Amino acid sequence: MKKLTLLVVVLSLGCLSWAGSGRQDATDRLNNAATVLHEIMQAPDNGIPEEVLENARCVAVVPHLMKGGFIIGAEHGKGVATCRTAKGWSAPAFITVSGGSVGFQIGIEGVDLVMIIQNEKGMQRLLSSDFKLGADASAAAGPVGRHASAGTSWKLDTEILTYSRAKGAFAGIAFDGASVRQDDDSTRAIYGKKITTRRALTGRVAAPRAAQSFLDAVRNAKAQAVAKAD
């Protein structure tokens, strides 16, 4: 009986430790995503244009997608996303990205991925919690700079614009083949229970305090773009 009690205590302590570690990892990801977006928008003459941000339905950031290698695969990349609602930007949804490739980039220590979901169709793909870029959802390299030309194709039927940053260099880049799914573990760690991507991104869940820096970065991104354009 004593051995059984000891086993229960050990398992309980292990679960508490995992929960604490999982919450810290998810919080760090939110803060890292905020830093990535803020630094991208601070870069002079280089960033996501005002026009793109103005029309964005959702914003997703995957900080430190991969470290090292010749062909950068998105294996086990983890990120966060938020969508516009009638009350502002939604509580974050946690996502994983896997299986894509951003081509040959030798010696890169880390790649940051930003996805701008442009329209309702793209938003519905994200809400589904499981889709593939370039197959289920059309994706294209996003325009970069102070302004995006109205005559270019970025405004057409493309559902998601993709950007990457590596060693400080930021550019729109094609990212076909990557699968985007809900990160259940991080969702439970932050919210304390399983919450669907749809519930989080449609404003049916209150944003946790840990998400404040990320949501502030998304809110401020357009203001930074406008300031650079003036």
Side-chain angles (χ1 to χ4, degrees):
M1 187 66 182
K2 288 182 179 180
K3 289 182 179 180
L4 179 60
T5 302
L6 179 61
L7 178 61
V8 171
V9 170
V10 170
L11 290 175
S12 297
L13 290 174
C15 289
L16 289 173
S17 175
W18 177 88
S21 175
R23 181 174 178 80
Q24 187 59 54
D25 287 346
T27 300
D28 289 345
R29 194 189 322 169
L30 285 161
N31 292 333
N32 289 337
T35 299
V36 167
L37 197 55
H38 180 68
E39 290 178 352
I40 285 171
M41 297 310 301
Q42 275 194 321
D45 299 318
N46 200 11
I48 303 171
E50 172 191 349
E51 294 84 354
V52 172
L53 292 168
E54 185 174 9
N55 292 286
R57 296 298 303 273
C58 308
V59 176
V61 182
V62 184
H64 309 307
L65 186 66
M66 175 58 83
K67 294 182 178 180
F70 287 88
I71 299 179
I72 307 301
E75 297 177 3
H76 308 299
K78 293 184 176 183
V80 289
T82 181
C83 292
R84 289 186 194 270
T85 72
K87 297 181 180 180
W89 290 97
S90 72
F94 292 85
I95 59 174
T96 64
V97 179
S98 62
S101 174
V102 296
F104 291 93
Q105 299 188 43
I106 300 173
I108 291 173
E109 295 180 354
V111 175
D112 303 314
L113 173 68
V114 178
M115 294 183 285
I116 304 295
I117 290 80
Q118 292 203 100
N119 51 37
E120 179 65 23
K121 193 173 180 181
M123 182 177 175
Q124 290 303 317
R125 299 294 188 191
L126 183 61
L127 296 181
S128 73
S129 303
D130 188 352
F131 69 96
K132 183 172 287 189
L133 291 173
D136 301 318
S138 60
V144 173
R146 291 174 184 262
H147 288 287
S149 172
T152 56
S153 60
W154 68 271
K155 255 186 154 182
L156 297 178
D157 294 328
T158 303
E159 297 163 26
I160 300 173
L161 298 177
T162 54
Y163 298 86
S164 73
R165 184 182 71 157
K167 285 190 174 180
F170 180 70
I173 191 164
F175 201 70
D176 288 350
S179 295
V180 180
R181 297 185 175 91
Q182 180 173 7
D183 179 357
D184 291 328
D185 290 340
S186 296
T187 301
R188 287 193 185 94
I190 286 291
Y191 292 106
K193 58 184 178 181
K194 184 174 180 179
I195 290 175
T196 64
T197 297
R198 182 174 293 276
R199 281 195 67 197
L201 296 183
T202 54
R204 289 184 281 170
V205 177
R209 183 175 298 179
Q212 196 61 51
S213 63
F214 173 62
L215 296 179
D216 284 346
V218 174
R219 293 187 193 103
N220 294 335
K222 183 175 181 292
Q224 288 179 274
V226 171
K228 287 197 301 182
D230 291 340

